[in-house]
Amino acid sequence: MTDRLGAVLAGAVPRVCAAAVALIAVDGSVAAAAATGELVRYADAEGTLAAERPPAGHDSIFDLASISKLFTTAVLLSLAEEGAIGLDEPVAAWIPGHDPRVTPRRLLTHTAGLPPTRRIDLELPGADASERMEAMLRTPIAHPVGGPYLYSDVGLVIAGRVAELAGGAPLDALVRTRVTDVLGLPDTGYRPTALARVAATEWKPERPGPGCVRGEVHDETAYALGGVAGHAGLFATAGDLLAFGEALRPAAIRQGGAVLRPGSVAEMLRDQGAEGAAFRHGLGVRIGDPGIVGPLSGAFGHSGFTGTSLVVDPARGLTVVLLTNAVHPVRGRDGIRELRHAVALEALRLSELQPLT
């Protein structure tokens, strides 16, 4: 069941990433699973091998990076189902003084005119997380509102804060009560405590503690905001992320048994008409993103800067998870796109196999 997928991962480890775990489900059943590599391979940016190099396993926990955006989206859509927010209401309803043209829908489609990033840790080095968040919320509009598409972590930080204000709880609590508890995802959350199972990421000498980052969010902005933010911060196992992806696959949704109602998922997966992107864009999700879907042209999902991806292909009944730490010990390593495509190609092969009789 795992030989071919295992060979794909083995061909990339440790050249592309130190550790990799992949899961492929066809019509809700796991068809292939593989794990290889070491959770901590390097001790520094020079590639010095670590004294202890624990192996990766199927229960290993990875920094999801921007896949966190999909969980923020699910929280916002669940609040919209309850009438707590309107996707086309100005966010100024929750953040007084904000540009009235900005709405949750525009935040989730990256058409709010906000800049891509803001290194609030460098801007306000002595501030605490709440002061930095207030500064993030005051980020001025820098581009046309309504499009063209401009990927913005700032926009999803604001979306996460809107969720907190509308939901009356911190974002980590909202993700837990509205997503992970509902789906039974015990290893998905911010600021993980099971450090022995967590994959290391980048060498960051400015962070406290020896060695590469492990158990703390890699993203600098999310770290500066206390480890919980709308754009990044979540950690998970491949199994948990697969279950989340299945909860968004239309054919798998059961009335009353999923995170979102079928109509909300349909709206999430509808092309929202964001112009200027290399793919179609739903609410929070990318549709047909060539960077992650490979031959699964109609699939949706998201990638993460750390080397993660979630791809769901409704037409073929596929859910594909790839978790890696391609930023360990430094960012900019080649080959993660090719690895994502190779895993997607194996998923396509499995979907085309005739069931055994």
Side-chain angles (χ1 to χ4, degrees), residues 76 79-80 83-98 102-105 107 134 137 158-168:
L76 282 168
L79 290 167
I85 67 167
L87 293 176
D88 297 305
E89 292 181 43
V91 302
W94 303 278
I95 305 173
H98 207 284
V102 175
T103 64
R105 188 183 303 276
L107 293 175
E134 287 303 312
L137 298 180
I158 295 172
R161 183 58 181 149
V162 169
E164 291 183 329
L165 295 168

Side-chain angles (χ1 to χ4, degrees), residues 141-182:
I141 300 298
H143 304 276
V145 176
Y149 168 91
L150 181 64
Y151 187 71
S152 174
D153 283 346
V154 176
L156 265 292
V157 170
I158 295 172
R161 183 58 181 149
V162 169
E164 291 183 329
L165 295 168
L171 183 60
D172 55 347
L174 293 172
V175 168
R176 183 176 64 252
T177 59
R178 293 175 176 269
V179 182
T180 62
D181 281 356
V182 174

Side-chain angles (χ1 to χ4, degrees), residues 56-130:
H58 295 285
D59 65 344
S60 295
I61 297 170
F62 288 77
D63 183 337
L64 297 183
S66 284
I67 294 177
S68 305
K69 293 177 171 69
L70 301 187
F71 289 78
T72 301
T73 301
V75 167
L76 282 168
L77 290 176
S78 74
L79 290 167
E81 289 179 350
E82 297 171 0
I85 67 167
L87 293 176
D88 297 305
E89 292 181 43
V91 302
W94 303 278
I95 305 173
H98 207 284
D99 191 305
R101 297 172 296 171
V102 175
T103 64
R105 188 183 303 276
R106 284 177 168 162
L107 293 175
L108 296 178
T109 56
H110 300 277
T111 58
L114 289 159
T117 60
R118 185 174 178 184
R119 285 297 302 275
I120 203 67
D121 55 325
L122 301 180
E123 291 181 37
L124 301 174
D128 62 20
S130 61

